[in-house]
Amino acid sequence: MTYASSARQPEPEPRPTSRGAERPADAPDSSAASSAVNDSNVVPITADHTTRQGVSRRADTSLPSPETPAKGKKSTPTAGKVRADALRMLGCVRIATVRQMALVITGEGSDGRSYVRRAMKELAELGLVETNGKDGKHQIWNLTVAGQKALADGNELPARPKAGTGAKAVRAGFGPHAVAVTDTILAYTDTVLGGRREYLTDWQVEVNHAIKETGLSFNTDAVLAVPTKTSEVRLFELDNGTMSQARLAKEVWDYERYAGHRVWEGARGTIGGTYPFWQRHRYTRSTSFPRLHVVLAGKAEHLLDNRLQALTSAVHGITIAVWVNTLPRLQRGEPWYEIGVDDPHRRRARYPEPVGR
């Protein structure tokens, strides 16, 4: 497939020995310590974004990898561990099927689903989880309010006071979109970060970005809080094939409008100055606006290719970093396409300065 010229695909480069391997900054210099990959291994952007950067771990909240069983034997996870891991996973991704949870919790594919089904039944009897719909043949599970409280009481995850359970969305018929978001999270964590479990608790879903004075407000499907050298987070938008191409393009342009808004700061009687809203009030430790990853899903691959080309044309000239991929390609570990480059100088010229005091 030949893509539009404005979508740049990198030249083929050697893959790391273990898929998605890079040594964290605080780890010893050994191959055994490799755990995360810089996105530059997937697609290059500009020189400012290609420096390799380690990531931090929070071992106390991560979903640990199952122990490697002895040859010829299967490891049987304890019921309590499966229940705890299921609660933690749902606390991060909000909505998941037994298939998705088995991949993360047991690493045994179909063989592990029976453990997870049993755990979900027990958690449901305790009033901590519930199912409100299906994705095809698979039941979709989410935490209840009591399940969220149990996680908070156990100090298992960072505080997320405004996080919903997702139950209303599933009942309304939006479960497939949420399941696709979870598939995106698992695929990115697997193919880019080098393992589904270690970084799962660094994800949040349905994160609101808003600027009250302009009326701009939108929810980002998923946010990954694994810092790079220039940014605290990475932003993810998923199109499950349910919106028009124009609507998808508008959602991407909303991120530029958010990035372009500036605020006036300075005490009364002083000259003061203007600063990016996002850098002063949202991502205060970032030196560049977070990269937006757009993932296309929900249709046959050739149709997803058409949507990728259409989006490339529709956001031509955008002044934030935008990468796009299809969910099948992401799951196979294939490269992203760069369709937008961060350019704060052009962005500042494009959006009006706020009026001083």
Side-chain angles (χ1 to χ4, degrees):
M1 186 75 191
T2 302
Y3 287 91
S5 60
S6 55
R8 294 194 292 142
Q9 186 180 18
E11 293 296 324
E13 58 182 1
R15 288 287 179 183
T17 304
S18 63
R19 187 169 56 176
E22 180 191 357
R23 184 172 58 86
D26 58 350
D29 189 10
S30 69
S31 59
S34 305
S35 68
V37 68
N38 181 291
D39 287 338
S40 62
N41 192 48
V42 184
V43 107
I45 305 189
T46 62
D48 291 337
H49 292 76
T50 54
T51 304
R52 294 188 178 237
Q53 174 69 11
V55 294
S56 60
R57 300 186 183 213
R58 290 200 294 271
D60 56 329
T61 59
S62 64
L63 295 175
S65 301
E67 291 184 6
T68 304
K71 188 175 181 180
K73 295 183 179 179
K74 287 187 176 181
S75 61
T76 303
T78 64
K81 181 180 181 301
V82 175
R83 289 196 298 269
D85 284 348
L87 283 177
R88 278 195 291 269
M89 180 172 173
L90 288 176
C92 298
V93 303
R94 189 176 299 180
I95 286 171
T97 64
V98 165
R99 171 187 63 83
Q100 292 170 324
M101 287 186 279
L103 285 172
V104 174
I105 295 170
T106 70
E108 296 182 11
S110 59
D111 289 339
R113 293 180 196 177
S114 59
Y115 299 124
V116 177
R117 288 193 189 94
R118 189 178 307 120
M120 301 314 291
K121 181 179 179 181
E122 293 168 353
L123 289 170
E125 290 172 352
L126 294 171
L128 302 180
V129 300
E130 62 184 0
T131 180
N132 290 281
K134 291 184 176 182
D135 177 39
K137 298 184 295 183
H138 303 286
Q139 286 185 315
I140 301 172
W141 290 89
N142 60 267
L143 294 178
T144 62
V145 174
Q148 289 179 319
K149 187 174 185 302
L151 273 178
D153 291 346
N155 246 359
E156 285 298 306
L157 289 176
R160 296 169 184 174
K162 295 183 180 180
T165 64
K168 291 181 180 178
V170 177
R171 287 197 291 266
F174 301 123
H177 178 274
V179 169
V181 170
T182 301
D183 277 334
T184 297
I185 290 172
L186 298 183
Y188 190 88
T189 306
D190 183 30
T191 61
V192 179
L193 297 181
R196 290 188 176 92
R197 301 160 187 85
E198 287 82 357
Y199 301 100
L200 197 60
T201 51
D202 292 311
W203 291 89
Q204 292 188 51
V205 296
E206 291 298 316
V207 178
N208 183 252
H209 290 83
I211 303 174
K212 288 184 179 179
E213 60 187 88
T214 66
L216 179 64
S217 179
F218 56 88
N219 287 338
T220 302
D221 285 323
V223 173
L224 173 63
V226 174
T228 66
K229 199 165 191 175
T230 58
S231 184
E232 300 167 52
V233 301
R234 302 165 215 188
L235 309 173
F236 290 77
E237 275 294 332
L238 177 110
D239 168 37
N240 203 33
T242 57
M243 68 177 79
S244 68
Q245 293 176 353
R247 171 66 186 278
L248 176 60
K250 178 188 177 300
E251 289 199 354
V252 175
W253 281 105
D254 278 346
Y255 283 89
E256 191 201 65
R257 285 187 275 273
Y258 184 88
H261 184 69
R262 298 177 71 85
V263 291
W264 187 276
E265 287 189 3
R268 292 187 180 277
T270 64
I271 295 176
T274 64
Y275 301 90
F277 172 87
W278 64 268
Q279 203 167 32
R280 276 296 193 261
H281 300 289
R282 192 59 182 259
Y283 301 115
T284 57
R285 298 189 303 278
S286 298
T287 58
S288 64
F289 187 74
R291 183 185 308 129
L292 174 63
H293 299 75
V294 180
V295 179
L296 307 175
K299 292 181 179 291
E301 283 204 60
H302 72 282
L303 298 177
L304 296 181
D305 290 340
N306 294 340
R307 289 179 76 82
L308 190 155
Q309 289 191 45
L311 181 63
T312 299
S313 299
V315 302
H316 178 69
I318 200 166
T319 60
I320 61 171
V322 183
W323 289 2
V324 63
N325 210 345
T326 67
L327 182 55
R329 284 198 177 96
L330 176 59
Q331 290 170 328
R332 295 193 295 263
E334 296 180 17
W336 292 77
Y337 288 84
E338 177 192 21
I339 63 174
V341 178
D342 185 59
D343 192 335
H345 301 294
R346 280 201 306 126
R347 189 165 64 236
R348 184 169 183 175
R350 181 172 289 176
Y351 292 90
E353 293 283 324
V355 177
R357 303 182 197 190

